[in-house]
Amino acid sequence: MRTRSILTVLLWSSVFYVVHMTPSQRRINKHSHSERMTGLSENDGKTLHRTKRGWMWNQFFLLEEYTGPDTQYVGKLHTDQDKGDGNLKYILTGDGAGSLFIIDENTGDIHAAKKLDREEKSLYVLRAKAIDRKTGRQVEPESEFIIKIHDINDNEPKFTKDMYTASIPEMSGVGTSVIQVTATDADDANYGNSAKVVYSILQGQPYFSVDPETGIIKTALPDMSRENREQYQVVIQAKDMGGQMGGLSGTTTVNITLTDVNDNPPRFPQSSYQFSSPESAPPGTSLGRIKANDPDVGENAEIEYSISNGDGSDMFDIITDKDTQEGIITVKKHLDFENKVLYTLRVEATNTHPDPRFLQLGPFKDTALVKISVEDIDEPPVFSRPWYLIEVDEDAKEGSIIGQVVAQDPDIAKNAIKYSVDRHTDLDRIFNIYSGNGSLFLSKPLDREETPWHNITVIATEINNPKQSSQIPVFIRILDINDHAPEFANYYETFVCENAKAGQLIQTVSAVDKDQPPRGHKFFFELVPEFAVHPNFSVVDNKDNQAGIMTRRNGYSRSKTSTYFLPIIIFDNDYPIQSSTGTLTIRVCACDSRGNMQSCSAEALLLPAGLSTGALVAILLCIIILLVLVVLFTALKRQRKKEPLIISKDDVRDNIVTYNDEGGGEEDTQAFDIGTLRNPEAREESKMRRDVIPETIFQIRRTAPLWENIDVQDFIHRRLKENDLDPAAPPYDSLATYAYEGNDSIANSLSSLESLTTEGNQDYDYLSDWGPRFKKLADMYGGEDSDRD
């Protein structure tokens, strides 16, 4: 219930202390409540003291949540300087001035323009001024005052959470604290009982109670069991006004969970269990599960299973499934129906985390009896050993027995067994087995050096039930016999220097043997009997399976003997003794003063002694370069063209005709075949001459074949004669080439081009002796008359 009241604010006058100063002095105003100013006059030097007057205010009080029809009156500002003539103006500044608080500037009355909420803001700080309207100066210094809002009970208590969650161990004693709840009231705790909160429980009795002042929730009943009830919901109320009638209240919900403690031992739901297992079950096979019940949860319900006693404790085992808290019975060793049919176990289930507070309730464990029966099955044959090792000499004869394997049926029936060799492990079929008794024998000869070990598999199968079979590995080791002769360990490239001295070691040789005698290898070296005393070299046995090759004389000559062959006999020391002869090739080489080989070839003797390999290479390169230059020069010279007889067409002499007939090139099949000159036996064919006009009246004359002529010179002379007598021959100035020059011509040059260079007249009478072809020239140049004409 809210109350309404009007607070009358009394304003009493402030005492003002005024200091009168000379007219020349200026008045100084400050805004502090009391202030002293000290100054020195320029006229008389006297010190003046001024004390400012101040307003003194009490707090103004205003009721919150005012809902009256008029504005709520706060108070009045007034100064004794106010004569009531309206000359002064009151101004209000600060928190809410002008919006929440309004002042009448003429009268100084202050009103609250709006409804105020203390929980929103509990006090306001404002400042007041009194100003002279005419001069605009403050007649009073600015003063600060406070308006405080009075509280009313308008807020209910509120809890810090809408819902609380708490837990407490089960079986807790009465009065055990569970959780503390807290409610707050926004009202003023210093004004009345509006903010005084009292707690009470509305729901959750008789299990829990709450402290009315602190809000602490406690247990109210003893031995509350989680197994009976785990969850509780408690409703708590908080009421202000000290819980009196008319107070406001709020509520919250608290969910309380009882946590588990290990107050229950595990219990088997039945006293005995029955399981069975085939005798062929391998170790680790699971036979079944058992479980002891425990109403606890979490680690309090964790159980460990074990076998406490029984005649099967060494044959079976039990493990704990941590996820399901079950005990798993497993096979620990191989079972045998023929040996024992029934086993009895006593299994114990124990809590792993017992609580000492509840040990008086009894032991936290339980036991049960487990019986396991063994079932008989048809088992495969069993060998007498897990594996077999057989040793046999490599010279053992085919068909000889090398060993035996034995297997039997473990069942009561004792079925007959047959043996066989797994051919995947004996692809070459070297071994075989008698199916009735398991005796192994050889089918092929052995060679230790090729395969020292043979690993085969023997299969034993029941005759009445072929599906029942078992396998066994058989390791066969081939024993060595001395059937290989020793030989040189490497191919030795041995040389001896020409300047070698007698007794000098030139090579150390060793031997290898494919055999492996039990006492290790022992080799002996010596020269063949034919060279027991070699004139050039000797063999010294070092008694360590090595021998040294020594020189027996001073100096060797490559020019006489460049290579020596030294046959050496190598013996072993096993039975029967084996030997072989190896020939050592020894080359004679040129060496430096320190015995380092320089050259061993016989061709090197022809080279200058002072030339090195680099010098020889340089000489060869120079020779190759010279040959290349000669070849290039010759090729270029052959490619030069001959200068033509007539350099220019314009340079023409009397009675000279140029024909310039180049022929038809490679396709000109009518051209002159120069192959006839190369092969006089080539038969002449009838061909038309290209240099004869087709309309010629002359009949082409066939010449006699000349393939029988083997003299080229004679052939050319005959051709020349035929052309001289042939009226259809080419023009006289044509050049005929026969690829044979013959002897020098007595006519020398026939060209008239050089006639201008001679100082006198030339006699051409000899042209008449050259035949019909030169008749025209003889007529033109033969006599003086002709020259004159």
Side-chain angles (χ1 to χ4, degrees), residues 609-640:
L611 293 179
S612 63
T613 303
L616 295 176
V617 173
I619 293 173
L620 291 176
L621 289 177
C622 292
I623 295 173
I624 293 172
I625 292 173
L626 289 175
L627 291 175
V628 172
L629 291 176
V630 170
V631 172
L632 291 177
F633 179 75
T634 304
L636 291 175
K637 190 173 182 180
R638 289 182 178 178
Q639 291 181 357
R640 290 182 179 178

mmCIF file of all heavy atoms in Angstrom, residues 609-640:
data_model
loop_
_atom_site.group_PDB
_atom_site.id
_atom_site.type_symbol
_atom_site.label_atom_id
_atom_site.label_comp_id
_atom_site.label_asym_id
_atom_site.label_seq_id
_atom_site.Cartn_x
_atom_site.Cartn_y
_atom_site.Cartn_z
ATOM 1 N N ALA A 609 111.441 -43.324 -76.488
ATOM 2 C CA ALA A 609 111.413 -43.547 -75.038
ATOM 3 C C ALA A 609 111.074 -42.290 -74.279
ATOM 4 O O ALA A 609 110.523 -42.335 -73.189
ATOM 5 C CB ALA A 609 112.763 -44.109 -74.579
ATOM 6 N N GLY A 610 111.407 -41.152 -74.888
ATOM 7 C CA GLY A 610 111.202 -39.911 -74.137
ATOM 8 C C GLY A 610 109.820 -39.314 -74.274
ATOM 9 O O GLY A 610 109.536 -38.291 -73.669
ATOM 10 N N LEU A 611 108.933 -39.918 -75.119
ATOM 11 C CA LEU A 611 107.608 -39.330 -75.351
ATOM 12 C C LEU A 611 106.603 -39.900 -74.360
ATOM 13 O O LEU A 611 106.552 -41.101 -74.147
ATOM 14 C CB LEU A 611 107.147 -39.628 -76.783
ATOM 15 C CG LEU A 611 107.959 -38.951 -77.898
ATOM 16 C CD1 LEU A 611 107.400 -39.346 -79.250
ATOM 17 C CD2 LEU A 611 107.967 -37.440 -77.730
ATOM 18 N N SER A 612 105.822 -39.014 -73.860
ATOM 19 C CA SER A 612 104.761 -39.430 -72.944
ATOM 20 C C SER A 612 103.484 -39.700 -73.713
ATOM 21 O O SER A 612 103.405 -39.448 -74.922
ATOM 22 C CB SER A 612 104.526 -38.333 -71.888
ATOM 23 O OG SER A 612 104.077 -37.156 -72.510
ATOM 24 N N THR A 613 102.501 -40.169 -73.026
ATOM 25 C CA THR A 613 101.213 -40.456 -73.671
ATOM 26 C C THR A 613 100.575 -39.187 -74.213
ATOM 27 O O THR A 613 99.997 -39.163 -75.311
ATOM 28 C CB THR A 613 100.279 -41.118 -72.657
ATOM 29 O OG1 THR A 613 100.911 -42.294 -72.155
ATOM 30 C CG2 THR A 613 98.956 -41.504 -73.309
ATOM 31 N N GLY A 614 100.680 -38.091 -73.504
ATOM 32 C CA GLY A 614 100.103 -36.828 -73.979
ATOM 33 C C GLY A 614 100.769 -36.351 -75.247
ATOM 34 O O GLY A 614 100.098 -35.846 -76.168
ATOM 35 N N ALA A 615 102.091 -36.523 -75.332
ATOM 36 C CA ALA A 615 102.787 -36.086 -76.541
ATOM 37 C C ALA A 615 102.371 -36.920 -77.744
ATOM 38 O O ALA A 615 102.178 -36.406 -78.850
ATOM 39 C CB ALA A 615 104.295 -36.166 -76.326
ATOM 40 N N LEU A 616 102.206 -38.227 -77.541
ATOM 41 C CA LEU A 616 101.758 -39.081 -78.631
ATOM 42 C C LEU A 616 100.368 -38.698 -79.126
ATOM 43 O O LEU A 616 100.106 -38.672 -80.334
ATOM 44 C CB LEU A 616 101.776 -40.548 -78.168
ATOM 45 C CG LEU A 616 103.164 -41.131 -77.838
ATOM 46 C CD1 LEU A 616 103.014 -42.543 -77.312
ATOM 47 C CD2 LEU A 616 104.066 -41.114 -79.069
ATOM 48 N N VAL A 617 99.472 -38.390 -78.216
ATOM 49 C CA VAL A 617 98.121 -37.965 -78.603
ATOM 50 C C VAL A 617 98.181 -36.674 -79.401
ATOM 51 O O VAL A 617 97.472 -36.489 -80.411
ATOM 52 C CB VAL A 617 97.243 -37.816 -77.349
ATOM 53 C CG1 VAL A 617 95.900 -37.211 -77.727
ATOM 54 C CG2 VAL A 617 97.044 -39.161 -76.677
ATOM 55 N N ALA A 618 99.027 -35.744 -79.007
ATOM 56 C CA ALA A 618 99.131 -34.465 -79.716
ATOM 57 C C ALA A 618 99.649 -34.682 -81.133
ATOM 58 O O ALA A 618 99.165 -34.062 -82.098
ATOM 59 C CB ALA A 618 100.050 -33.526 -78.936
ATOM 60 N N ILE A 619 100.654 -35.580 -81.301
ATOM 61 C CA ILE A 619 101.186 -35.852 -82.636
ATOM 62 C C ILE A 619 100.110 -36.455 -83.534
ATOM 63 O O ILE A 619 99.945 -36.079 -84.706
ATOM 64 C CB ILE A 619 102.408 -36.784 -82.524
ATOM 65 C CG1 ILE A 619 103.568 -36.044 -81.830
ATOM 66 C CG2 ILE A 619 102.834 -37.287 -83.897
ATOM 67 C CD1 ILE A 619 104.761 -36.924 -81.534
ATOM 68 N N LEU A 620 99.328 -37.400 -83.002
ATOM 69 C CA LEU A 620 98.265 -38.005 -83.789
ATOM 70 C C LEU A 620 97.223 -36.980 -84.211
ATOM 71 O O LEU A 620 96.726 -36.993 -85.344
ATOM 72 C CB LEU A 620 97.610 -39.136 -82.984
ATOM 73 C CG LEU A 620 98.482 -40.379 -82.759
ATOM 74 C CD1 LEU A 620 97.749 -41.370 -81.861
ATOM 75 C CD2 LEU A 620 98.836 -41.043 -84.080
ATOM 76 N N LEU A 621 96.864 -36.066 -83.333
ATOM 77 C CA LEU A 621 95.885 -35.027 -83.679
ATOM 78 C C LEU A 621 96.415 -34.147 -84.796
ATOM 79 O O LEU A 621 95.667 -33.759 -85.713
ATOM 80 C CB LEU A 621 95.555 -34.200 -82.441
ATOM 81 C CG LEU A 621 94.714 -34.898 -81.370
ATOM 82 C CD1 LEU A 621 94.524 -33.987 -80.160
ATOM 83 C CD2 LEU A 621 93.348 -35.271 -81.927
ATOM 84 N N CYS A 622 97.699 -33.772 -84.770
ATOM 85 C CA CYS A 622 98.278 -32.930 -85.817
ATOM 86 C C CYS A 622 98.230 -33.641 -87.165
ATOM 87 O O CYS A 622 97.893 -33.034 -88.203
ATOM 88 C CB CYS A 622 99.707 -32.560 -85.452
ATOM 89 S SG CYS A 622 99.830 -31.448 -84.026
ATOM 90 N N ILE A 623 98.559 -34.918 -87.164
ATOM 91 C CA ILE A 623 98.512 -35.675 -88.418
ATOM 92 C C ILE A 623 97.100 -35.718 -88.979
ATOM 93 O O ILE A 623 96.874 -35.532 -90.188
ATOM 94 C CB ILE A 623 99.071 -37.087 -88.194
ATOM 95 C CG1 ILE A 623 100.565 -37.014 -87.835
ATOM 96 C CG2 ILE A 623 98.854 -37.967 -89.427
ATOM 97 C CD1 ILE A 623 101.148 -38.347 -87.426
ATOM 98 N N ILE A 624 96.114 -35.943 -88.114
ATOM 99 C CA ILE A 624 94.709 -36.003 -88.571
ATOM 100 C C ILE A 624 94.275 -34.668 -89.148
ATOM 101 O O ILE A 624 93.618 -34.584 -90.196
ATOM 102 C CB ILE A 624 93.803 -36.435 -87.417
ATOM 103 C CG1 ILE A 624 94.109 -37.885 -87.040
ATOM 104 C CG2 ILE A 624 92.337 -36.296 -87.786
ATOM 105 C CD1 ILE A 624 93.400 -38.338 -85.784
ATOM 106 N N ILE A 625 94.684 -33.560 -88.530
ATOM 107 C CA ILE A 625 94.301 -32.231 -89.027
ATOM 108 C C ILE A 625 94.921 -31.973 -90.394
ATOM 109 O O ILE A 625 94.273 -31.445 -91.313
ATOM 110 C CB ILE A 625 94.721 -31.155 -88.008
ATOM 111 C CG1 ILE A 625 93.874 -31.303 -86.718
ATOM 112 C CG2 ILE A 625 94.547 -29.757 -88.578
ATOM 113 C CD1 ILE A 625 94.319 -30.406 -85.598
ATOM 114 N N LEU A 626 96.167 -32.356 -90.585
ATOM 115 C CA LEU A 626 96.812 -32.161 -91.883
ATOM 116 C C LEU A 626 96.114 -32.966 -92.977
ATOM 117 O O LEU A 626 95.911 -32.486 -94.099
ATOM 118 C CB LEU A 626 98.295 -32.562 -91.783
ATOM 119 C CG LEU A 626 99.196 -31.607 -90.965
ATOM 120 C CD1 LEU A 626 100.591 -32.180 -90.842
ATOM 121 C CD2 LEU A 626 99.235 -30.219 -91.599
ATOM 122 N N LEU A 627 95.762 -34.201 -92.664
ATOM 123 C CA LEU A 627 95.053 -35.014 -93.654
ATOM 124 C C LEU A 627 93.712 -34.393 -94.033
ATOM 125 O O LEU A 627 93.337 -34.384 -95.212
ATOM 126 C CB LEU A 627 94.849 -36.431 -93.110
ATOM 127 C CG LEU A 627 96.117 -37.284 -92.957
ATOM 128 C CD1 LEU A 627 95.757 -38.617 -92.293
ATOM 129 C CD2 LEU A 627 96.765 -37.528 -94.314
ATOM 130 N N VAL A 628 92.988 -33.861 -93.049
ATOM 131 C CA VAL A 628 91.698 -33.223 -93.344
ATOM 132 C C VAL A 628 91.894 -32.014 -94.249
ATOM 133 O O VAL A 628 91.140 -31.772 -95.208
ATOM 134 C CB VAL A 628 90.999 -32.829 -92.034
ATOM 135 C CG1 VAL A 628 89.768 -31.989 -92.316
ATOM 136 C CG2 VAL A 628 90.578 -34.072 -91.267
ATOM 137 N N LEU A 629 92.940 -31.205 -94.006
ATOM 138 C CA LEU A 629 93.200 -30.028 -94.843
ATOM 139 C C LEU A 629 93.533 -30.423 -96.282
ATOM 140 O O LEU A 629 93.067 -29.788 -97.241
ATOM 141 C CB LEU A 629 94.350 -29.216 -94.228
ATOM 142 C CG LEU A 629 94.034 -28.516 -92.897
ATOM 143 C CD1 LEU A 629 95.275 -27.821 -92.354
ATOM 144 C CD2 LEU A 629 92.916 -27.500 -93.091
ATOM 145 N N VAL A 630 94.336 -31.476 -96.453
ATOM 146 C CA VAL A 630 94.681 -31.931 -97.810
ATOM 147 C C VAL A 630 93.433 -32.386 -98.561
ATOM 148 O O VAL A 630 93.223 -32.050 -99.730
ATOM 149 C CB VAL A 630 95.738 -33.053 -97.725
ATOM 150 C CG1 VAL A 630 95.932 -33.697 -99.097
ATOM 151 C CG2 VAL A 630 97.056 -32.500 -97.226
ATOM 152 N N VAL A 631 92.556 -33.130 -97.857
ATOM 153 C CA VAL A 631 91.330 -33.602 -98.502
ATOM 154 C C VAL A 631 90.451 -32.434 -98.906
ATOM 155 O O VAL A 631 89.882 -32.386 -100.006
ATOM 156 C CB VAL A 631 90.592 -34.581 -97.577
ATOM 157 C CG1 VAL A 631 89.219 -34.919 -98.152
ATOM 158 C CG2 VAL A 631 91.400 -35.855 -97.395
ATOM 159 N N LEU A 632 90.284 -31.445 -98.045
ATOM 160 C CA LEU A 632 89.456 -30.283 -98.374
ATOM 161 C C LEU A 632 90.039 -29.510 -99.541
ATOM 162 O O LEU A 632 89.323 -29.052 -100.447
ATOM 163 C CB LEU A 632 89.339 -29.388 -97.138
ATOM 164 C CG LEU A 632 88.531 -29.947 -95.975
ATOM 165 C CD1 LEU A 632 88.568 -28.979 -94.787
ATOM 166 C CD2 LEU A 632 87.076 -30.169 -96.388
ATOM 167 N N PHE A 633 91.366 -29.323 -99.582
ATOM 168 C CA PHE A 633 92.007 -28.570 -100.668
ATOM 169 C C PHE A 633 91.792 -29.280 -101.995
ATOM 170 O O PHE A 633 91.493 -28.665 -103.017
ATOM 171 C CB PHE A 633 93.496 -28.418 -100.363
ATOM 172 C CG PHE A 633 94.256 -27.672 -101.431
ATOM 173 C CD1 PHE A 633 94.136 -26.277 -101.536
ATOM 174 C CD2 PHE A 633 95.051 -28.345 -102.336
ATOM 175 C CE1 PHE A 633 94.812 -25.607 -102.516
ATOM 176 C CE2 PHE A 633 95.732 -27.652 -103.311
ATOM 177 C CZ PHE A 633 95.623 -26.280 -103.419
ATOM 178 N N THR A 634 91.937 -30.590 -101.988
ATOM 179 C CA THR A 634 91.734 -31.361 -103.218
ATOM 180 C C THR A 634 90.296 -31.261 -103.698
ATOM 181 O O THR A 634 90.022 -31.096 -104.895
ATOM 182 C CB THR A 634 92.107 -32.827 -102.979
ATOM 183 O OG1 THR A 634 93.451 -32.892 -102.494
ATOM 184 C CG2 THR A 634 91.980 -33.639 -104.258
ATOM 185 N N ALA A 635 89.316 -31.348 -102.749
ATOM 186 C CA ALA A 635 87.910 -31.266 -103.145
ATOM 187 C C ALA A 635 87.578 -29.903 -103.733
ATOM 188 O O ALA A 635 86.850 -29.782 -104.723
ATOM 189 C CB ALA A 635 87.018 -31.562 -101.939
ATOM 190 N N LEU A 636 88.118 -28.839 -103.155
ATOM 191 C CA LEU A 636 87.853 -27.491 -103.675
ATOM 192 C C LEU A 636 88.470 -27.316 -105.058
ATOM 193 O O LEU A 636 87.899 -26.662 -105.942
ATOM 194 C CB LEU A 636 88.403 -26.451 -102.704
ATOM 195 C CG LEU A 636 87.673 -26.328 -101.363
ATOM 196 C CD1 LEU A 636 88.403 -25.340 -100.451
ATOM 197 C CD2 LEU A 636 86.239 -25.870 -101.592
ATOM 198 N N LYS A 637 89.632 -27.870 -105.272
ATOM 199 C CA LYS A 637 90.287 -27.726 -106.564
ATOM 200 C C LYS A 637 89.517 -28.437 -107.654
ATOM 201 O O LYS A 637 89.426 -27.992 -108.792
ATOM 202 C CB LYS A 637 91.710 -28.280 -106.450
ATOM 203 C CG LYS A 637 92.571 -27.967 -107.673
ATOM 204 C CD LYS A 637 94.023 -28.387 -107.442
ATOM 205 C CE LYS A 637 94.878 -28.008 -108.669
ATOM 206 N NZ LYS A 637 96.298 -28.414 -108.469
ATOM 207 N N ARG A 638 88.915 -29.573 -107.313
ATOM 208 C CA ARG A 638 88.132 -30.313 -108.306
ATOM 209 C C ARG A 638 86.849 -29.597 -108.673
ATOM 210 O O ARG A 638 86.307 -29.795 -109.747
ATOM 211 C CB ARG A 638 87.805 -31.710 -107.777
ATOM 212 C CG ARG A 638 89.008 -32.637 -107.722
ATOM 213 C CD ARG A 638 88.611 -34.011 -107.227
ATOM 214 N NE ARG A 638 89.759 -34.900 -107.216
ATOM 215 C CZ ARG A 638 89.696 -36.178 -106.788
ATOM 216 N NH1 ARG A 638 88.526 -36.677 -106.382
ATOM 217 N NH2 ARG A 638 90.775 -36.935 -106.810
ATOM 218 N N GLN A 639 86.340 -28.796 -107.770
ATOM 219 C CA GLN A 639 85.067 -28.109 -108.019
ATOM 220 C C GLN A 639 85.224 -26.840 -108.861
ATOM 221 O O GLN A 639 84.250 -26.200 -109.197
ATOM 222 C CB GLN A 639 84.392 -27.756 -106.678
ATOM 223 C CG GLN A 639 83.891 -28.971 -105.915
ATOM 224 C CD GLN A 639 83.229 -28.593 -104.621
ATOM 225 O OE1 GLN A 639 83.196 -27.418 -104.277
ATOM 226 N NE2 GLN A 639 82.726 -29.592 -103.914
ATOM 227 N N ARG A 640 86.456 -26.413 -109.099
ATOM 228 C CA ARG A 640 86.646 -25.207 -109.940
ATOM 229 C C ARG A 640 86.191 -25.483 -111.383
ATOM 230 O O ARG A 640 86.452 -26.545 -111.938
ATOM 231 C CB ARG A 640 88.109 -24.800 -109.943
ATOM 232 C CG ARG A 640 88.577 -24.241 -108.592
ATOM 233 C CD ARG A 640 90.024 -23.809 -108.700
ATOM 234 N NE ARG A 640 90.487 -23.245 -107.452
ATOM 235 C CZ ARG A 640 91.729 -22.814 -107.234
ATOM 236 N NH1 ARG A 640 92.625 -22.881 -108.219
ATOM 237 N NH2 ARG A 640 92.078 -22.310 -106.072
#
